[in-house]
């Protein structure tokens, strides 16, 4: 499905997929089961994309509900014929208006069911709430469409067996959206933007401070995207980025969302990470960053999560705030197997003037990198030091 | 989810426990072996963990550039039969532990006498390359 980036005509895939959760909510409110209703909505969305451009409906949501409901009834009817269980259809309530039905929040929780792996939850959220096609979700995770179709149908089976998760916790929803933002390969859908859209929709429907924290974090990271890679697609680390290319609109929105959340004094991991990101976005240069304040947020993050990854982030900030010796001293407490530890040590050793040691550490970090661009960057860093520049 | 290349080759690994070449098996043993591999792959397709896979012909050759304006040089094949890569499969799984579990299953495919081959398979994680979304 092609998607014109700029045009927002009614038949564009982007416009159509925004209706997905509300249409699915209506079908579920009418008594349709989750799994087949979700299929019916997916088919209706596809039909909308192919027909709306020529024949735009007056009431897009009504059109989608009617179309999806018909598809669902047809599906139940043929299943009934196959299994000779006509009562399945007889039990289905007749179509009727369910005004104002919007169980989008419940859909998020259902699709990111705690019984699912985060990757499966992310796939199901993208399809059922995000309205993406299976092929788009498959592209997002760089697997064949058939593989993703199987994964989604297994996830739906799990959801059907488990039912709605009992507590109101959004933890697994937030984790799934963060995975979409971080791990997604861009096909014809920009997954960072899709994760932000879904986080916005979620934030609009809940007062949860961590939902706000996640949205703020994604916005603040995304604000820096234009500067994160150069024209050749190479990674540009934060300290060398052209900060005039950062998106101030996204940064400002992120800061506003974060401040409102922090004011409620129910802090969590996403809010604290967003606070760090906000300080970076606030600094005109790397050197002008408020490093003591960054260290303070990392102190809170480490106290809250005991995560060695955050402990490593704290080492970087400490190295800038108090010098490489302080950073190296704190690094000693970070376990050797924490990802990117060698790269952090390399940076501190270079700052301490130990260039040969730093070069070897960059080379080691490159061998341990799990992403191509990161590895290439680290190899260049090792090469830079060995060339004596 | 991490992707892994599961590589079936014989370079650098100790011999399999049940190390009888396939052409010395009975026809039924060959059939059973192939059925086991097919069922294994079908299960992975059903779980949404299968990405791709291919058996490779032993007719390989070596190629290198011989400079501008000249055709590439080819040579070989040099490899001993036992050095050949016989095939590969790409899986996309929840964890390293799951990848090891699956490779273990594949290694247990039946061979001579219907007993598991217990051959060595190489498991290599992909260097993933999504666009970086963060930089702290």
């Amino acid at each position: 499905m092609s998607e014109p980036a700029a045009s927002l005509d009614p038949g564009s895939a982007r416009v159509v997929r925004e209706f997905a959760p509300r249409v699915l909510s209506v079908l579920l409110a009418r008594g349709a089961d989750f799994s087949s209703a979700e299929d019916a909505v997916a088919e209706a969305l596809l039909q909308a994309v192919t027909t709306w451009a020529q024949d735009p409906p007056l009431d897009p949501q009504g059109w989608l509900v009617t179309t999806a409901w018909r598809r669902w009834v047809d599906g139940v009817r043929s299943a009934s014929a196959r299994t000779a269980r006509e009562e399945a259809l007889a039990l289905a309530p007749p179509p009727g208006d369910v005004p104002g039905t919007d169980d989008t929040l419940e859909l998020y929780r259902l699709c990111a069911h705690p019984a699912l792996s985060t990757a499966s939850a992310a796939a199901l959220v993208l399809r059922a709430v995000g309205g993406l096609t299976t092929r788009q979700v498959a592209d997002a995770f760089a697997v064949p469409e058939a593989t993703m179709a199987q994964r989604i149908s297994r996830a739906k089976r799990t959801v059907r067996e488990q039912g709605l998760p009992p507590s109101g916790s959004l933890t697994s929803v937030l984790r799934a959206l963060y995975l979409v933002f971080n791990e997604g390969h861009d096909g014809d859908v920009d997954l960072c933007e899709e994760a932000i859209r879904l986080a916005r929709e979620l934030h609009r429907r809940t007062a949860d401070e961590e939902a706000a924290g996640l949205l703020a974090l994604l916005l603040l990271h995304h604000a820096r995207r234009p500067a994160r890679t150069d024209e050749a697609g190479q990674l540009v680390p934060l300290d060398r980025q052209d900060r005039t290319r950062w998106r101030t609109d996204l940064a400002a929105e992120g800061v506003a969302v974060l401040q409102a959340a922090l004011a409620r004094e129910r802090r969590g991991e996403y809010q604290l990470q967003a606070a760090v990101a906000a300080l970076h976005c606030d600094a005109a240069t790397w050197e002008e960053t408020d490093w003591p304040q960054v260290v303070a947020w990392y102190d809170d993050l480490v106290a809250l999560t005991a995560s060695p990854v955050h402990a490593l982030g704290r080492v970087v900030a400490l190295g800038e705030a108090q010098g490489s010796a302080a950073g190296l001293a704190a690094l000693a407490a970070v376990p050797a197997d924490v990802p990117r530890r060698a790269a952090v040590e390399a940076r501190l050793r270079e700052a301490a003037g130990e260039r040969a040691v730093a070069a070897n550490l960059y080379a080691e970090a490159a061998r341990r990198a799990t992403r191509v661009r990161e590895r290439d960057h680290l190899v260049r860093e090792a090469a830079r030091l060995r060339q004596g520049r | 989810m991490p992707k892994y290349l599961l590589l079936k080759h014989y370079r650098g690994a100790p011999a399999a426990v049940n190390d009888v070449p396939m052409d010395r098996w009975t026809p039924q043993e060959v059939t059973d072996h192939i059925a086991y591999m097919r069922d294994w792959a079908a299960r992975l397709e059903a779980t949404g963990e299968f990405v791709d896979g291919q058996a490779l012909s032993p007719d390989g050759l070596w190629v290198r550039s011989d400079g501008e304006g000249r055709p590439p040089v080819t040579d070989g094949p040099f490899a001993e039969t036992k050095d050949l890569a016989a095939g590969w499969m790409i899986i996309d799984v929840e964890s390293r532990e799951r990848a090891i579990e699956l490779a273990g299953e594949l290694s247990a495919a039946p061979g001579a006498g219907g007993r598991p081959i217990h051959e060595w398979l190489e498991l290599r994680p992909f260097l993933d390359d999504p666009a970086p979304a963060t930089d702290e």
Side-chain angles (χ1 to χ4, degrees):
Chain A
M1 181 188 329
S2 72
E3 185 191 19
S7 98
L8 286 180
D9 64 89
S12 90
R14 191 181 314 178
V15 169
V16 170
R17 66 174 180 260
E18 304 228 341
F19 290 104
R22 276 172 285 158
V23 174
L24 181 52
S25 290
V26 173
L27 262 65
L28 296 178
R30 288 179 180 178
D33 69 286
F34 173 71
S35 187
S36 58
E38 199 274 333
D39 284 333
V41 173
E43 288 169 20
L45 296 177
L46 268 178
Q47 193 177 329
V49 170
T50 51
T51 59
W52 282 10
Q54 270 74 48
D55 189 12
L58 288 173
D59 170 13
Q61 182 168 326
W63 186 99
L64 281 167
V65 167
T66 305
T67 306
W69 180 256
R70 247 182 237 138
R71 296 266 183 167
W72 183 78
V73 169
D74 288 348
V76 171
R77 201 172 274 146
S78 65
S80 303
R82 276 201 304 276
T83 61
R85 282 192 294 110
E86 294 291 345
E87 69 273 18
L89 185 59
L91 284 173
D97 283 338
V98 189
T101 300
D102 182 5
D103 296 327
T104 301
L105 187 58
E106 294 304 291
L107 278 179
Y108 274 96
R109 293 182 55 233
L110 194 64
C111 294
H113 199 289
L116 297 173
S117 71
T118 305
S120 290
L124 192 53
V125 168
L126 279 174
R127 202 179 108 121
V129 186
L132 268 62
T133 63
T134 301
R135 190 180 62 68
Q136 288 171 323
V137 181
D139 282 353
F141 293 99
V143 297
E145 186 172 349
T147 299
M148 187 48 72
Q150 286 294 344
R151 208 176 282 175
I152 288 172
S153 78
R154 274 171 75 88
K156 292 207 290 192
R157 207 176 312 143
T158 302
V159 166
R160 190 175 61 219
E161 285 159 10
Q162 303 270 338
L164 196 62
S167 88
S169 164
L170 291 174
T171 308
S172 53
V173 177
L174 302 180
R175 200 181 295 138
L177 294 182
Y178 199 39
L179 183 136
V180 170
F181 185 80
N182 270 304
E183 304 294 322
H185 298 245
D186 290 341
D188 57 21
V189 176
D190 182 325
L191 284 167
C192 288
E193 283 176 7
E194 198 63 19
I196 287 172
R197 175 172 85 79
L198 290 168
R200 266 204 193 102
E201 292 292 316
L202 181 66
H203 175 55
R204 189 180 298 165
R205 291 171 167 85
T206 168
D208 186 278
E209 291 80 10
E210 279 292 85
L214 177 74
L215 174 59
L217 180 62
L218 302 190
L219 288 165
L220 289 160
H221 278 317
H222 202 52
R224 290 184 232 139
R225 179 159 82 163
R228 192 170 287 131
T229 44
D230 65 15
E231 299 74 21
Q234 296 181 353
L235 208 64
V236 182
L238 187 51
D239 58 327
R240 294 177 210 165
Q241 285 175 16
D242 173 0
R243 297 185 177 213
T244 63
R245 296 177 68 194
W246 288 357
R247 294 211 20 208
T248 49
D249 57 331
L250 294 181
E253 184 189 354
V255 167
V257 170
L258 176 65
Q259 281 174 339
L262 286 175
R264 294 206 294 272
E265 296 285 346
R266 285 163 57 94
R267 306 215 164 149
E269 190 172 3
Y270 292 116
Q271 292 170 76
L272 295 175
Q273 290 181 87
V276 170
L279 286 173
H280 286 303
C281 281
D282 201 33
T285 65
W286 172 261
E287 291 73 21
E288 285 172 54
T289 310
D290 186 351
W291 291 111
Q293 192 61 42
V294 176
V295 174
W297 285 119
Y298 271 119
D299 285 341
D300 289 354
L301 263 172
V302 172
L304 181 74
T305 65
S307 153
V309 172
H310 293 320
L312 189 64
R314 183 178 169 278
V315 166
V316 175
L318 203 62
E320 297 297 331
Q322 298 176 21
S324 54
L328 285 165
L331 185 69
V334 178
D337 60 350
V338 176
R340 301 198 171 105
R341 187 187 189 280
V344 169
E345 182 172 2
R347 204 185 158 85
L348 291 166
R349 296 284 177 196
E350 184 184 355
E354 300 175 54
R355 296 173 66 88
V357 178
N360 287 337
L361 283 163
Y362 277 125
E364 183 194 334
R367 278 193 300 276
R368 291 193 189 182
T370 58
R371 297 186 170 196
V372 174
R373 263 175 272 226
E374 186 186 339
R375 180 201 59 189
D376 294 350
H377 167 70
L378 292 164
V379 169
R380 274 193 298 273
E381 292 294 274
R384 173 177 61 80
L385 287 179
R386 285 182 175 145
Q387 292 291 309
R389 280 189 283 120
Chain B
M1 302 219 306
K3 289 193 186 67
Y4 286 87
L5 175 67
L6 228 168
L7 196 57
K8 186 176 155 95
H9 67 88
Y10 311 98
R11 193 168 297 168
V17 173
N18 184 7
D19 191 23
V20 181
M22 211 165 173
D23 55 13
R24 310 269 178 86
W25 301 357
T26 68
Q28 188 59 47
E29 284 164 1
V30 173
T31 303
D32 291 348
H33 176 82
I34 291 165
Y36 181 98
M37 306 293 269
R38 197 182 47 225
D39 291 349
W40 184 85
R43 270 205 316 281
L44 280 193
E45 284 174 25
T47 56
E49 293 171 298
F50 178 82
V51 176
D52 205 354
Q54 194 63 55
L56 297 173
S57 158
D59 282 337
L61 70 162
W62 292 80
V63 182
R64 73 161 174 80
S65 153
D66 200 31
E68 207 173 322
R70 298 150 73 105
V73 187
T74 64
D75 206 346
F78 311 121
E80 297 286 329
T81 312
K82 61 201 294 296
D83 284 343
L84 290 168
W88 54 269
M89 189 173 288
I90 295 167
I91 55 178
D92 187 25
V93 291
E94 195 56 41
S95 62
R96 181 170 181 269
E97 289 67 34
R98 175 65 176 157
I100 291 171
E101 180 188 354
L102 289 173
E105 284 177 22
L106 194 60
S107 163
R115 286 171 287 112
I117 303 175
H118 291 307
E119 66 185 330
W120 292 89
L121 299 168
E122 190 177 7
L123 203 51
R124 297 280 299 273
F126 270 39
L127 264 185
D128 206 5
D129 199 26
T134 61
D135 49 16
E136 278 158 25

